[in-house]
């Protein structure tokens, strides 16, 4: 039996510096768009070499917490943690596991349909309905642009999750939403916009409008049932594309 101390890995100094800066970003001590202090100042403050500081910055850049511009007038600026970064990383995990797109759609239904019903029970329903109707107007304005309409539909779905009021829930659903939006863009770009795609987009818009009416009426179960059927119908259309069956096919 080996010595348990053999398994202990001490962090590199660059990781320690990166962790200190990461905590400052998360705590709001360093805010979005702020320039990071110059390398010399970071070196002096942490008591480390320039190579250590640069390695720490590379770590944070890879995590999406810094934007580094090279050359004259460049430098590092702070980025606060983004949901898209989380979705991108988990998307890589799903790719590596060969996850099928049916699995992603099923997860979306399990998460999003109950949220759709929940909105009809919330005390500030008037505010929720107003936000949903604004999103419907954005869809209507994009009706002649298939790609813009697809993104407007995606934003409507994301809005339902956001209005449910849980930031954790919003992060968890962001992965499925991102993957499905990529799939929708591919399908919308591959088909005749005067045929099935346009008809499907118009049907989706009508379903969204009926859903908002149900929320306004406080019909929670009807709203959830409609939204589940709507999600399943959308899956059937998107999965009819034979070129993508796994997350890897879609995101590679």
């Amino acid at each position: 039996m080996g010595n348990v101390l053999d398994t202990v890995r001490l962090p590199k100094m660059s990781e320690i510096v990166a962790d200190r800066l990461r905590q400052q970003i998360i705590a709001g001590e360093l805010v979005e768009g702020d320039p990071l202090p110059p390398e010399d100042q970071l070196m002096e403050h942490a008591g480390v070499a320039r190579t250590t500081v640069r390695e720490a910055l590379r770590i944070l850049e890879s995590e999406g917490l810094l934007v580094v511009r090279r050359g004259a007038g460049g430098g590092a600026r702070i980025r606060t943690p983004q949901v898209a970064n989380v979705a991108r990383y988990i998307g890589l995990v799903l790719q590596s596991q060969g996850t099928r797109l049916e699995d992603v759609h099923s997860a979306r239904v399990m998460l999003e349909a109950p949220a759709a019903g929940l909105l009809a029970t919330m005390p500030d329903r008037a505010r929720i309905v107003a936000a949903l109707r604004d999103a419907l107007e954005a869809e209507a304005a994009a009706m002649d642009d298939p790609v813009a309409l697809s993104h407007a539909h995606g934003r409507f779905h994301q809005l339902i999750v956001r209005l449910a009021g849980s930031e954790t829930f919003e992060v968890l659903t962001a992965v499925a939403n991102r993957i499905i939006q990529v799939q929708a863009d591919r399908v919308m770009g591959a088909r005749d916009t005067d045929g099935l795609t346009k008809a499907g987009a118009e049907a989706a818009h009508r379903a969204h409008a009926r859903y908002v009416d149900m929320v306004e009426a406080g019909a929670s179960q009807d709203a959830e049932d409609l939204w589940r059927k709507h999600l399943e119908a959308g899956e059937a259309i998107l999965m009819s594309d034979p070129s993508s069956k796994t997350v890897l096919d879609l995101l590679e």
Side-chain angles (χ1 to χ4, degrees):
M1 183 174 180
N3 190 324
V4 69
L5 293 179
D6 293 341
T7 64
V8 175
R9 174 189 171 275
L10 295 176
K12 295 167 61 177
M13 198 63 208
S14 59
E15 293 171 340
I16 294 174
V17 174
D19 185 60
R20 290 176 182 171
L21 291 170
R22 188 185 300 110
Q23 291 304 317
Q24 288 181 280
I25 294 170
I26 293 171
E29 297 171 19
L30 298 171
V31 300
E32 178 82 26
D34 278 357
L36 199 66
E39 285 184 359
D40 290 345
Q41 186 175 332
L42 292 172
M43 290 164 54
E44 181 179 355
H45 180 73
V48 297
R50 189 178 304 276
T51 54
T52 300
V53 168
R54 289 182 175 177
E55 177 60 25
L57 298 189
R58 281 193 289 270
I59 292 171
L60 295 175
E61 185 180 16
S62 71
E63 295 174 352
L65 297 177
L66 287 181
V67 176
V68 180
R69 296 181 177 86
R70 272 77 183 184
R77 290 189 176 272
I78 303 300
R79 290 193 68 195
T80 52
Q82 304 290 316
V83 169
N85 293 337
V86 178
R88 189 177 304 113
Y89 181 79
I90 299 179
L92 290 174
V93 175
L94 294 177
Q95 283 180 274
S96 71
Q97 295 176 344
T99 303
R100 296 187 65 80
L101 287 170
E102 291 97 334
D103 188 75
V104 177
H105 283 278
S106 294
R108 186 193 200 187
V109 172
M110 286 188 285
L111 291 166
E112 199 173 299
L118 177 65
L119 296 193
T121 70
M122 297 181 77
D124 58 344
R125 203 160 65 244
R127 177 188 66 84
I128 288 171
V129 168
L132 291 171
R133 292 207 184 281
D134 285 345
L136 281 176
E137 290 182 9
E139 286 184 3
M143 197 62 71
D144 293 328
D145 184 335
V147 174
L149 180 58
S150 173
H151 283 259
H153 284 166
R155 287 192 294 273
F156 191 94
H157 285 253
Q158 293 163 17
L159 179 62
I160 288 175
V161 173
R162 189 175 307 118
L163 290 172
S166 170
E167 295 176 356
T168 303
F169 185 68
E170 187 175 353
V171 170
L172 292 175
T173 57
V175 181
N177 285 334
R178 175 178 178 267
I179 291 170
I180 291 168
Q181 185 63 64
V182 172
Q183 187 184 18
D185 287 347
R186 178 175 292 189
V187 172
M188 295 292 273
R191 293 184 176 171
D192 177 9
T193 58
D194 292 328
L196 179 60
T197 298
K198 185 174 181 180
E202 291 174 346
H205 180 67
R206 290 193 297 271
H208 290 186
R210 290 198 304 275
Y211 165 72
V212 176
D213 289 341
M214 290 176 181
V215 172
E216 188 170 33
S220 176
Q221 191 59 57
D222 289 343
E224 179 175 341
D225 291 344
L226 171 66
W227 204 249
R228 180 175 284 105
K229 291 177 183 177
H230 171 56
L231 292 171
E232 290 170 349
E235 176 186 359
I237 293 173
L238 294 178
M239 290 306 300
S240 65
D241 175 20
S243 66
S244 300
K245 294 301 179 185
T246 71
V247 177
L248 179 60
D249 295 333
L250 196 65
L251 298 182
E252 65 180 351

